[in-house]
Amino acid sequence: MKALAVMTLAATAMAWTAPAAAQFAKAEDAIQYRQGALFVMGQHFGRLGAMANGKAPFDARLAQENADVVAAMARLPWAGFGPGTDKGAPTKAKPAIWSEQAKFKEHADKLEAESIKLAAAAKTGSLDNLKAAFGPAAQSCKSCHDAYRSK
Amino acid sequence: MKALAVMTLAATAMAWTAPAAAQFAKAEDAIQYRQGALFVMGQHFGRLGAMANGKAPFDARLAQENADVVAAMARLPWAGFGPGTDKGAPTKAKPAIWSEQAKFKEHADKLEAESIKLAAAAKTGSLDNLKAAFGPAAQSCKSCHDAYRSK
């Protein structure tokens, strides 16, 4: 039983540190995955932005739905940036992502944290709270795009 | 106050019945959105399938994480199939989607329901439960693809 437990732990550790090849059949899939996740997130984020910036009427229920999707999606794209996924399909991802992994992860973690705050703000039903949380979340998108996404 | 409440209700109703143009800036965005959401869902679904079919070791925690993502993603793609989104970017979506909207919606609803069952099954931590729920969920993907996705 102890040997089994150790093996299970080892297998779990492997799953968490496995290269992208283990999670995705090929680099192209990882690239398509991260692009898909970022695009879906961006669409919902944009709808929140329209409300926060007064370009769309504020609807507390829609704001919460969109913010919940953003918070759920914000966790996903990063698995698609594993080793060996810098090429394999058209991508705007800069090579620095793979040479500065710790810094890139900081950006990813920042977005996840801001998206959780944004969802909490949306849940209050207050446009002012949404506006206050939207700015820092948008800034976390922008700073990562400025550093790691080609024009 | 009553007038305001009526206006708010009207605005909410509009938001829910608005054509895709109101949710997406252009048809191309709707197409990219639904393709992204379906691809992300498919990747996580595939990992569950690998476990259910014995091609990957069963890991209860990973199964639950993947099933939760599938259940969250299963709600999203359908908004990307609004009126006018049958063209605008390369798509395998068949025209029948727009001429048989009620039938297409049945397929979407079926997947959402099966994905919720799948997540509940994964949560039990039992591979047998996962296997039992995976089959009907996979069948719901297949029947919709057979009817509405070009080869």
Side-chain angles (χ1 to χ4, degrees), chain A residues 58 60 64 120-127 129:
Chain A
F58 175 60
Q64 191 182 339
K123 201 173 181 181
T124 66
S126 150
L127 177 56
N129 288 346

Side-chain angles (χ1 to χ4, degrees), chain B residues 33-44:
Chain B
Y33 175 89
R34 71 198 189 206
Q35 289 173 344
L38 287 163
F39 188 83
V40 168
M41 179 167 59
Q43 289 291 308
H44 290 275

Side-chain angles (χ1 to χ4, degrees), chain B residues 71-127:
Chain B
M73 299 303 300
R75 301 170 54 230
L76 302 183
W78 324 115
F81 289 94
T85 64
D86 52 329
K87 46 180 174 272
T91 175
K92 291 183 187 167
K94 288 187 181 172
I97 290 170
W98 291 272
S99 60
E100 301 173 2
Q101 292 205 348
K103 263 184 78 180
F104 182 67
K105 189 177 184 308
E106 275 178 33
H107 283 276
D109 291 347
K110 176 81 175 154
L111 173 67
E112 284 191 42
E114 294 298 344
S115 74
I116 290 168
K117 289 184 203 165
L118 184 61
K123 201 172 181 182
T124 66
S126 150
L127 177 57

Side-chain angles (χ1 to χ4, degrees), chain A residues 12 15-16 23-25 28-30 32-33 36-37 39-40 43-44 47 59 61-62 65 69 72-73 75-76, chain B residues 12 15-16 23-25 28-29 32-33 36-37 39-40 43-44 47 59 61-62 65 69 72-73 75-76:
Chain A
T12 304
W16 284 100
Q23 285 194 59
F24 297 97
E28 185 188 344
D29 288 348
Q32 195 174 342
Y33 175 90
F39 188 82
V40 168
Q43 289 292 308
H44 290 275
R47 291 171 203 168
D59 178 311
R61 180 174 140 182
L62 283 180
E65 286 183 4
V69 175
M73 299 303 300
R75 301 169 54 232
L76 302 183
Chain B
T12 305
W16 283 100
Q23 285 193 61
F24 297 97
E28 185 187 345
D29 288 349
Q32 194 174 341
Y33 175 89
F39 188 83
V40 168
Q43 289 291 308
H44 290 275
R47 292 172 201 167
D59 178 311
R61 180 175 141 181
L62 282 181
E65 285 184 3
V69 175
M73 299 303 300
R75 301 170 54 230
L76 302 183

